[in-house]
Amino acid sequence: MIQMKNVIKKYPNGIIAVKGLNIEIKQGEFAYIVGPSGAGKSTFIKMMYREEKPTSGEIRVNGTDIAQLKDKEIPFLRRGMGVVFQDFKLLPRKNVYENVAFALEVIEEKPENIKKRVSDVLKLVGLAKKANMFPDELSGGEQQRVAIARSIVNTPKVVIADEPTGNLDPETSWEIMRLFDEINARGTTIIMATHNKEIVNTMRKRVIAIENGQIVRDERGGDYGYEF
Amino acid sequence: MIQMKNVIKKYPNGIIAVKGLNIEIKQGEFAYIVGPSGAGKSTFIKMMYREEKPTSGEIRVNGTDIAQLKDKEIPFLRRGMGVVFQDFKLLPRKNVYENVAFALEVIEEKPENIKKRVSDVLKLVGLAKKANMFPDELSGGEQQRVAIARSIVNTPKVVIADEPTGNLDPETSWEIMRLFDEINARGTTIIMATHNKEIVNTMRKRVIAIENGQIVRDERGGDYGYEF
Amino acid sequence: MNFKIIGRHMKESLTSMVRNRWMSFASISAVTVTLLLVGVFLVIMMNLNKVADDIENDVEIKVLIDLGVNETEELQLHQKVEKMPGVESVKYSTKKQELDKLVKDFGNDLSLFKQENPLHNVLYVKAENPKQTEKVAKEIMTYKGADKVSYGKGKIEKLFGFLNVSRNVGIILIVALLLTATFLISNTIKITITARRSEIEIMKLVGATNSFVRTPFIFEGMWLGALGAVLPIAIVTTLYATLHDKVTPTLENEIVQLLEVMPFILQIDLILLVMGVVIGVLGSFMSVRKFLKV
Amino acid sequence: MNFKIIGRHMKESLTSMVRNRWMSFASISAVTVTLLLVGVFLVIMMNLNKVADDIENDVEIKVLIDLGVNETEELQLHQKVEKMPGVESVKYSTKKQELDKLVKDFGNDLSLFKQENPLHNVLYVKAENPKQTEKVAKEIMTYKGADKVSYGKGKIEKLFGFLNVSRNVGIILIVALLLTATFLISNTIKITITARRSEIEIMKLVGATNSFVRTPFIFEGMWLGALGAVLPIAIVTTLYATLHDKVTPTLENEIVQLLEVMPFILQIDLILLVMGVVIGVLGSFMSVRKFLKV
Ligand SMILES: Nc1ncnc2c1ncn2[C@@H]1O[C@H](COP(=O)(O)OP(=O)(O)OP(=O)(O)O)[C@@H](O)[C@H]1O
Ligand SMILES: Nc1ncnc2c1ncn2[C@@H]1O[C@H](COP(=O)(O)OP(=O)(O)OP(=O)(O)O)[C@@H](O)[C@H]1O
Ligand SMILES: [Mg+2]
Ligand SMILES: [Mg+2]
């Protein structure tokens, strides 16, 4: 479903964050992206939903090269993907419910469906009681869970999560991971950048290790692999 | 150095995040604050440097009750503390160097000292090469390290860090922890909220567990304690 | 886009405006103050314009009637002039009335000439359009019974020149003020929307189309503009109605008159409302557009 | 606060202004446009005021000299009036000159009275201050040789009334405009600073005192105001100098004159600069204050 060929990303400040990536991730896969801080994981992820445009190379999502996408078509690419941003990116003037509902409003879902679906998802991430609170009234972990809820609410074909458990305690982290595993079992592709060794080593999946903008390892059922 | 007596914090929205805390942390201690997401760790921490004012109770820092502090005196309280905020709180229009230097400018340090000290600290957190970049050009982990650098640059008496390794890979996390340990060895108090079981269980220190706004455990050399 | 979606955007715009209370208030007050300025100056300028018209329209042609003409002939001349195309009104004044005027203006020294009045009977003629004055005057000159025709040639042209300059300056000022107001309002809206650029970017990243992001902002611009127009409309209307009521009696017998309250003030109100709404909408549209490229 | 720190704040303010390019530009252009408006209206209003003064100062007292008075007595009267306190100038006009004027105004019908001129010799007296006209006139009335003294009592009072109303309206408009401008400029600065509230809060959380946070913002407000005043000053100065040069020759022999370019335009420039800077500084000060409570 996602293929990259010789993808290079050079930021305007001259930093080459991704130096020739070649990868294929198939529909239904579950892949961890691991690697040191600043390795290029987020850049790699951002190019999949076109937050960043590759400097050169080809990125195919379901066959179409999204580097060539017209501005108008980008929203439709993004609707098929649920993204958990590393910095959450919640709308500050919308409460928890509205933040999650927004992903459904965007695809013009019927209001009655929205209500039901949002409540269900908020229950899944343990925030049913905080539906009316605003992001700045939430703890770090609660904000992260809102971001997760928003990413899965419209049952996308891929969930792309950048460090989704960085602010969560281990117990909540495992709940989220079980949630992802379940969704994955129903056919959703999961791509997740993480620094959580325990999760990667326990819930064995494909591991793609990036260092210095290049893939240095790509194993099915691999382990986190960085020892210290 | 920090004492709390019957501290209660009720937010304007009615949530009681801290429900009667009593604690004493001595100069030179190293304490982990652990507990589930939304337990009240950040609230507990925020009251120490007066980002939040307790609804009732007494918080003494070096003997003075900071709940009674006049607005004018608050900056001087904060200068003695280095804080790593959970959401980093970097100044978006200042580059890495300037963000870190700001904590020294505030105390009217001599410019020549500032330059030297900031370079040293940036080297410590591995960002010497990125001194001229702006926060939005940094990876999540890099931003977090800038926040850490800023918190220690003016060699405060206490470093208060809220989830300082949430966006860091294990190797970098350990470097930061070694840094904190070193600083602690030189007499600085370290108070650190964390979800990182491995760190807590490996680098044994005092562990204060908070659940539902109350201290449920307080052990010297304790372990993370939450299993799943 | 169907009705449900429009309803959603409308609701969204209102919620957003309320939640951004402070910024909304700042925007609305900027619009209010600017439109108030525009309203007041429009009222003043358009009344000054009216004054210029009134003065222009007051220009008369003075036709001295031949001393050797009898009453019937005088009447014929009078009627002929009245029927002339381009003539609005004709007023007859006897030589006695003329002398009285002279005496009134110049003092009693002249009253000893009352026994033997050397003056003419006069027709005062007003052209429909003051620009035609010269043409009408020349035409009358050819009529039988008209001895001398005068209309203060140089003086009137000077006056007209002066009035035209004032009018042009007035129009330039009004246009400059409208442009300024437009700029200030859309600038304010631009700044408030720039302060929300990250919100726009997040919406785009979650899969919203440009129009989905834009529409509530456009409605919001509309509300800001419309709400900003409320006070200026109320103030300008009340003030002008009051002023008109007060001033009109004192001007009863003067040439110069204020513009009638209706429909004049309705037109001003409409201009203010349309300006607020249109600039609000356009300002919003253009500012949002800049941040949609995500 | 020592010099080093002030230098640091100054540098900080400039850096911040440059890094917030877009917002700075928006603020500066709002200031520019507002001050330009203020400048143009100030120039117009103050010149209108001058016109009103000129017209007022043109009011004359007409003293008809007794017909039974000889030349020496006339001269004595003339000199006496000239030496009166409050009198600015006296102009003598013979009865022949008076009749010529009359003929010019009323046509040749009166020229047959040239043989036996019924008019008086006249003194035209101008008071130093138009408000003293009445007092001066009454005083002259008591002098020997003055037959009749007139100064268009009703007419002049009406004119003065009208001019006073215009002047008051002008002052109200200027004050309203200044208030409006003040509001608009400080409102814009408020909005741009609100957009940076989180920066202010972060600075406070890192241990900055209020004045440490505030000072660079105040300097920034000063720059914004000063830079915003540059264009208006340049434009108003150039325009007025040009206009003055063009218009003055055509007004050579008229009562009404434009204000001299110097020092008038310097005063206007100063007002604009001070307004920009003061409002910039105060607006900045007040807006930052709101967010310092962290
Ligand atoms: N918008 C940007 N402009 C310029 N440089 C950037 C930008 N974003 C990232 N970079 C640089 O690109 C490199 C890779 O960043 P990226 O965010 O992809 O790292 P990462 O692997 O996600 O790290 P982390 O684990 O810390 O989140 C870093 O060196 C960073 O400084
Ligand atoms: N500014 C606020 N206004 C209202 N409620 C708040 C605010 N900040 C936090 N809360 C609430 O207080 C409770 C404790 O929040 P706190 O941030 O202290 O949790 P935490 O222990 O730091 O959690 P995490 O590990 O997720 O960061 C939460 O339920 C949260 O919703
Ligand atoms: Mg990242
Ligand atoms: Mg927290």
Side-chain angles (χ1 to χ4, degrees), chain B residues 49-51 71-72 74-76 78-79 83 85 89-95 98 102-103 105-106 108 110-112 134 150, chain D residues 1-2 4-5 8 12 15-16 19-20 23 195-196 198-210 212-213 293-294:
Chain B
Y49 58 88
R50 204 34 156 67
E51 181 174 348
D71 281 355
K72 270 194 162 182
I74 295 175
F76 300 93
R78 290 176 183 159
R79 289 174 189 189
V83 183
F85 304 92
K89 293 206 193 295
L90 301 179
L91 293 163
R93 318 242 188 238
K94 286 189 185 295
N95 63 28
E98 292 163 344
F102 191 79
E105 290 180 4
V106 154
E108 303 191 2
K110 291 202 199 83
E112 51 273 28
F134 287 88
R150 181 177 60 187
Chain D
M1 234 193 306
N2 57 36
K4 256 191 206 150
I5 299 294
R8 182 262 172 205
E12 177 85 11
T15 316
S16 160
R19 292 200 183 147
N20 282 290
M23 281 284 196
R196 290 167 66 187
S198 75
E199 286 179 51
I200 296 175
E201 288 169 1
I202 293 173
M203 290 180 189
K204 285 293 312 261
L205 286 178
V206 179
T209 55
N210 287 354
F212 195 89
V213 175
K293 289 249 162 209
V294 177

Side-chain angles (χ1 to χ4, degrees), chain A residues 64-163:
Chain A
T64 47
D65 185 357
I66 64 166
Q68 311 298 330
L69 228 49
K70 281 190 212 124
D71 281 356
K72 270 194 161 183
E73 298 164 329
I74 295 175
F76 301 94
L77 165 73
R78 290 175 183 161
R79 289 172 188 190
M81 305 175 152
V83 182
V84 184
F85 304 92
Q86 191 168 8
D87 55 355
F88 317 155
K89 291 203 192 299
L90 301 178
L91 293 163
R93 318 244 187 236
K94 288 189 184 294
N95 63 29
V96 168
Y97 175 89
E98 292 163 343
N99 260 288
V100 177
F102 190 78
L104 291 173
E105 290 180 2
V106 154
I107 54 170
E108 303 191 5
E109 187 63 59
K110 290 201 201 85
E112 52 272 28
N113 296 355
I114 293 183
K115 208 160 178 184
K116 174 90 182 59
R117 178 74 188 135
V118 173
S119 312
D120 288 352
V121 172
L122 285 182
K123 228 170 275 159
L124 279 180
V125 300
L127 287 176
K129 279 188 195 155
K130 312 223 157 174
N132 293 318
M133 283 166 69
F134 286 86
D136 64 359
E137 299 173 337
L138 297 177
S139 81
E142 287 163 351
Q143 288 176 29
Q144 193 155 40
R145 283 180 278 159
V146 177
I148 293 167
R150 182 177 61 188
S151 76
I152 60 174
V153 72
N154 63 349
T155 52
K157 287 220 190 66
V158 208
V159 170
I160 298 175
D162 198 348
E163 206 88 60

Side-chain angles (χ1 to χ4, degrees), chain C residues 96-112:
Chain C
K96 189 167 171 309
Q97 287 167 327
E98 286 294 296
L99 186 63
D100 286 348
K101 255 198 268 174
L102 207 58
V103 169
K104 209 168 140 210
D105 283 352
F106 267 80
N108 270 323
D109 309 331
L110 295 170
S111 56
L112 53 114

